[in-house]
Amino acid sequence: QVRLMESGGGSVQAGGSLRLSCTASGYVLNNCGVAWYRQAPGKDRELIASSGTAGATNYADSVRGRFTISREYTGGTMYLQMNDLKPEDTAMYYCAAKSRTVVGGSYRCSRDFVFWGQGTQVTVSS
């Protein structure tokens, strides 16, 4: 059974930093793409950072230049380094990963993010 678990959330003042971790069990995070999402109260879930298997990363405009997604080469943990935090970054943060299956003798990654963590709360005060 695949399980993702986030940690590292908390309360911080504006301008501060936090590093979120997402640890996987039953799955190797280097298999396929991974991502971080967040959801603030009353708002839709937002994709803020993603990383493909070739190492390419993408960021939402709202966090580009401040947040960095990465993962250990062992594939057990992924991270979201968050710098220069702002009150508008306050949200529940979730890690997600695509699944990998064997199709016709080749590995294929799912189109959508299939595995999700339970979330970790980040609160930024002004």
Side-chain angles (χ1 to χ4, degrees):
Q1 183 178 358
V2 176
R3 183 181 180 190
L4 303 184
M5 180 176 291
E6 302 93 340
S7 61
S11 297
V12 65
Q13 289 191 328
S17 297
L18 284 173
R19 188 176 81 157
L20 305 184
S21 299
C22 174
T23 301
S25 59
Y27 190 67
V28 177
L29 291 174
N30 285 344
N31 284 345
C32 294
V34 296
W36 287 93
Y37 284 76
R38 69 184 181 188
Q39 187 168 22
K43 294 189 176 181
D44 292 334
R45 187 175 58 189
E46 176 188 18
L47 172 62
I48 57 172
S50 63
S51 174
T53 52
T57 56
N58 288 286
Y59 298 93
D61 289 343
S62 57
V63 306
R64 186 176 294 112
R66 300 188 297 123
F67 291 11
T68 303
I69 185 173
S70 63
R71 39 184 160 178
E72 290 183 344
Y73 76 96
T74 58
T77 306
M78 58 186 281
Y79 304 98
L80 184 68
Q81 178 66 44
M82 306 186 296
N83 298 328
D84 189 23
L85 283 161
K86 303 176 181 181
E88 51 264 42
D89 295 319
T90 295
M92 186 72 79
Y93 284 71
Y94 301 89
C95 61
K98 295 183 178 181
S99 65
R100 188 176 76 170
T101 56
V102 177
V103 179
S106 300
Y107 290 116
R108 295 285 180 86
C109 294
S110 62
R111 182 192 67 180
D112 300 321
F113 292 102
V114 173
F115 305 123
W116 292 84
Q118 294 299 308
T120 186
Q121 177 67 37
V122 172
T123 302
V124 184
S125 58
S126 58

